[in-house]
């Protein structure tokens, strides 16, 4: 695969489209909660793909965020009611400096970058998303990972008053996810705080969400309030729900089908009716960077 390091989305997007997006965004106040979104200054990254990003509209109106409902349009409809400020993240377990960290604290010295990543949902659709974020390893190094730590566990906020999906038992709340420590320390694994150069919209997991681009989308847990370093494999929501269909690793793999559908190809959201499906790439195209993490592992068994 090729990485781009000089041209960002802003250089490839005609200015007028961008202006329309911004105007659209300004008019969509009800959809995007909180104060006016400030433009985020972030460095471009060599880890970005040179593929053209999906539109902001596609990225913010076709979502999975079951805390707000099952329909792809529910997060855009209901997530505006979520209060994301103040926000803090409880960081604990096998770390030197455990504590309840305010978001400002976490972001104070975080080296923000724009990362244009491929994003592949286990449901076999995909998008190209221009995230703003920083490497998860930056935060883990800041709190000091102890030598006994082998995994990182994450949890999403539980607030049924503002998250209508949590008033139902469709999932066992809180939404939980986990990574092996070497996966979490990989430079491609980021905590995202924005997209398209603006603060992260609520439906995409504001104010802080994980993005692990070589794994199926459900690993990329939204609206994180807790991070715990452990020595045992953490619980993961979809794995607990149905372990046969959703493994702990969930690396994108065209050779391991979901029991109910093929993973060999995918539909690019927004590509149009006649575009045809695309071949799914091993590790979602990030094999050159991450395959060595799984040397000696049987990926059909460790799905
Ligand atoms: N807390 C939480 N995080 C979540 C989900 C969810 O339902 N709840 N859905 C996951 C799934 S299945 C996908 S595909 C991605 C979707 O991210 P996006 O809406 O920003 O594209 O979020 C993931 N993170
Ligand atoms: Mo997904």
């Amino acid at each position: 695969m090729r990485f781009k390091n000089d041209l960002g989305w802003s250089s490839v997007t005609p200015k007028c489209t961008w202006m329309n997006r911004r105007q659209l965004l300004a008019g969509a106040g009800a959809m995007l909660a909180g104060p006016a979104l400030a433009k985020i200054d972030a460095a471009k990254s060599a880890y970005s793909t040179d593929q053209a990003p999906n539109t902001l509209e596609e990225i913010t109106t076709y979502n999975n965020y079951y805390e707000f409902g099952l329909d792809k349009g529910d997060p855009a409809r209901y997530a505006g009611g979520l209060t994301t400020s103040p926000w803090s993240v409880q960081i604990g377990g096998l770390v030197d400096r455990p504590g309840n960290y305010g978001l400002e604290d976490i972001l104070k010295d975080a080296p923000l970058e724009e990362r244009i990543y491929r994003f592949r949902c286990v449901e076999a659709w995909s998008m190209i998303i221009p995230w703003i974020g920083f490497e998860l390893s930056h935060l883990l190094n800041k709190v000091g990972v102890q030598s006994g730590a082998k995994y990182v566990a994450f949890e999403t906020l539980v607030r049924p008053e503002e998250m209508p999906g949590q008033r139902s038992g469709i999932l066992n709340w809180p939404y939980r996810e986990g990574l092996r420590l070497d996966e979490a320390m990989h430079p491609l694994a980021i905590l995202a705080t924005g997209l398209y150069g603006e603060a992260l919209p609520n439906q995409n997991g504001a104010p802080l969400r994980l993005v692990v681009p070589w794994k199926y989308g459900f690993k990329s847990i939204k609206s994180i309030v807790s991070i715990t370093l452990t020595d045992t494999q953490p619980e993961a929501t979809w794995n607990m729900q149905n372990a046969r269909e959703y493994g702990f690793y969930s690396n994108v793999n065209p050779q391991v089908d979901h029991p109910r559908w093929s993973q060999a190809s995918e539909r690019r959201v927004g590509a149009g009716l006649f575009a045809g499906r695309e071949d799914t790439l091993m590790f979602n195209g990030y094999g050159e960077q991450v395959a060595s993490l799984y040397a000696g592992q049987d990926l059909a068994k460790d799905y």
Side-chain angles (χ1 to χ4, degrees):
M1 66 164 303
R2 293 175 326 180
F3 285 110
K4 158 181 74 170
N5 49 26
D6 51 350
L7 290 176
W9 61 267
S10 49
S11 342
V12 297
T13 308
K15 186 78 176 188
C16 55
T17 319
W18 171 233
M19 291 303 289
N20 289 341
R21 273 201 197 106
R22 290 179 66 96
Q23 284 154 5
L24 194 85
L25 200 63
M31 181 176 99
L32 302 164
L37 298 177
K39 191 105 177 72
I40 298 172
D41 261 327
K44 310 263 176 228
S45 170
Y47 287 114
S48 287
T49 173
D50 57 7
Q51 289 170 281
N54 279 85
T55 65
L56 182 63
E57 208 206 326
E58 287 157 358
I59 297 168
T60 56
T61 59
Y62 189 89
N63 300 99
N64 276 333
Y65 197 169
Y66 278 20
E67 284 84 341
F68 295 100
L70 302 186
D71 190 88
K72 292 286 184 283
D74 284 341
R77 235 170 265 135
Y78 304 120
L82 178 68
T83 311
T84 58
S85 175
W87 194 270
S88 59
V89 182
Q90 189 74 47
I91 306 183
L94 299 169
V95 296
D96 293 333
R97 289 171 287 282
N100 196 32
Y101 286 80
L103 187 63
E104 326 70 62
D105 233 18
I106 291 172
L107 297 185
K108 199 169 47 199
D109 55 349
L112 291 183
E113 284 184 19
E114 180 183 69
R115 296 278 179 105
I116 307 173
Y117 279 169
R118 278 185 297 283
F119 188 86
R120 170 61 154 82
C121 175
V122 73
E123 298 162 340
W125 54 263
S126 63
M127 294 200 213
I128 308 289
I129 305 185
W131 302 107
I132 302 288
F134 60 95
E135 293 176 10
L136 171 59
S137 67
H138 170 83
L139 179 59
L140 296 180
N141 288 332
K142 180 159 138 163
V143 299
V145 177
Q146 296 184 342
S147 61
K150 296 196 182 82
Y151 296 91
V152 189
F154 303 86
E155 286 182 10
T156 295
L157 177 73
V158 178
R159 193 183 288 158
E161 318 86 82
E162 292 186 350
M163 298 175 127
Q166 286 182 341
R167 294 175 217 148
S168 87
I170 23 160
L171 290 176
N172 185 3
W173 315 110
Y175 193 99
R176 274 158 268 192
E177 259 307 338
L179 296 172
R180 212 170 56 192
L181 186 59
D182 60 341
E183 299 176 321
M185 295 302 280
H186 193 281
L188 282 171
I190 60 168
L191 288 170
T193 60
L195 61 84
Y196 264 115
E198 314 259 345
L200 200 59
N202 283 4
Q203 58 266 47
N204 295 95
L208 190 72
R209 65 91 56 88
L210 183 67
V211 180
V212 191
W214 71 93
K215 293 177 178 285
Y216 291 121
F218 64 83
K219 297 293 293 183
S220 293
I221 182 174
K222 296 177 169 180
S223 305
I224 295 167
V225 293
S226 147
I227 300 178
T228 311
L229 280 286
T230 68
D231 59 1
T232 49
Q233 187 175 295
E235 292 181 324
T237 290
W238 284 102
N239 180 239
M240 289 189 294
Q241 190 78 4
N242 189 336
R244 203 174 69 86
E245 298 193 355
Y246 309 101
F248 175 78
Y249 285 95
S250 289
N251 294 312
V252 175
N253 188 340
Q255 276 141 40
V256 176
D257 286 337
H258 186 279
R260 292 183 279 125
W261 59 85
S262 166
Q263 294 292 26
S265 69
E266 63 200 52
R267 175 181 67 87
R268 174 65 46 78
V269 170
L273 218 45
F274 306 106
R277 297 177 71 85
E278 302 190 17
D279 288 343
T280 290
L281 303 173
M282 188 64 203
F283 297 115
N284 201 24
Y286 298 96
E288 221 174 279
Q289 287 74 36
V290 303
S292 63
L293 295 176
Y294 308 100
Q297 261 179 274
D298 177 353
L299 295 176
K301 195 173 126 272
D302 287 347
Y303 62 97

